[in-house]
């Protein structure tokens, strides 16, 4: 079934708009934060098992570090974007990937990206 997913979640893209100018030291002033809702997304938790000791160690706790998000085809996602997912602000980690077209159905696939929670 192609995206947007009828029972998917809505995430909010947070992107800085164009800089209104420069500060007295010549540095660009951050533009206004523009929020764009993206309905019909699939959001899955991304887990990591911390590396402690050797590979023979078992019983370690799994830590949820962020999400994998699948947005509708053609979604505009940049590595510099942040997203509000389930009430948490997350940063895009790595390069978003466009699944392209399904060779069997011809339907467009989602845009996938990893999002890590912002801390500090």
């Amino acid at each position: 079934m192609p995206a947007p997913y009828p029972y998917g979640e809505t995430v909010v893209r947070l992107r800085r708009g164009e800089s209104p100018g420069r500060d007295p030291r010549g540095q660009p002033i951050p533009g206004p934060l523009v929020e764009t809702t993206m309905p019909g997304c699939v959001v899955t938790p991304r887990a990591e098992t911390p590396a402690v000791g050797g590979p023979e160690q078992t019983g370690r706790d799994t830590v949820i570090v962020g999400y994998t998000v699948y947005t509708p085809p053609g979604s505009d996602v940049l590595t510099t974007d942040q997203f509000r997912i389930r009430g948490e602000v997350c940063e895009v980690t790595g390069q978003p990937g466009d699944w392209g077209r399904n060779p069997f159905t011809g339907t467009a696939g989602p845009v996938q990206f990893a999002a890590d929670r912002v801390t500090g």
Side-chain angles (χ1 to χ4, degrees):
M1 174 179 230
Y5 302 98
Y7 300 105
E9 298 181 44
T10 297
V11 300
V12 179
R13 184 186 68 203
L14 308 170
R15 181 180 287 173
R16 289 283 171 193
E18 192 172 324
S19 172
R22 297 193 173 269
D23 68 17
R25 295 178 296 185
Q27 299 299 315
I29 298 170
L33 195 60
V34 178
E35 296 189 8
T36 305
T37 58
M38 300 176 93
C41 298
V42 174
V43 177
T44 62
R46 212 172 71 256
E48 231 175 61
T49 303
V52 179
E56 69 283 347
Q57 232 177 356
T58 59
R60 292 179 284 172
D61 290 335
T62 298
V63 178
I64 303 299
V65 294
Y67 303 101
T68 299
V69 181
Y70 302 86
T71 61
S75 294
D76 180 19
V77 179
L78 302 175
T79 58
T80 53
D81 290 337
Q82 292 183 322
F83 281 82
R84 187 173 309 111
I85 302 168
R86 298 178 180 172
E88 298 180 304
V89 176
C90 301
E91 295 180 345
V92 174
T93 306
Q95 188 69 33
D98 187 337
W99 281 42
R101 293 214 171 271
N102 181 319
F104 300 106
T105 65
T107 58
V111 174
Q112 174 186 343
F113 65 92
D116 287 337
R117 294 182 181 130
V118 175
T119 58

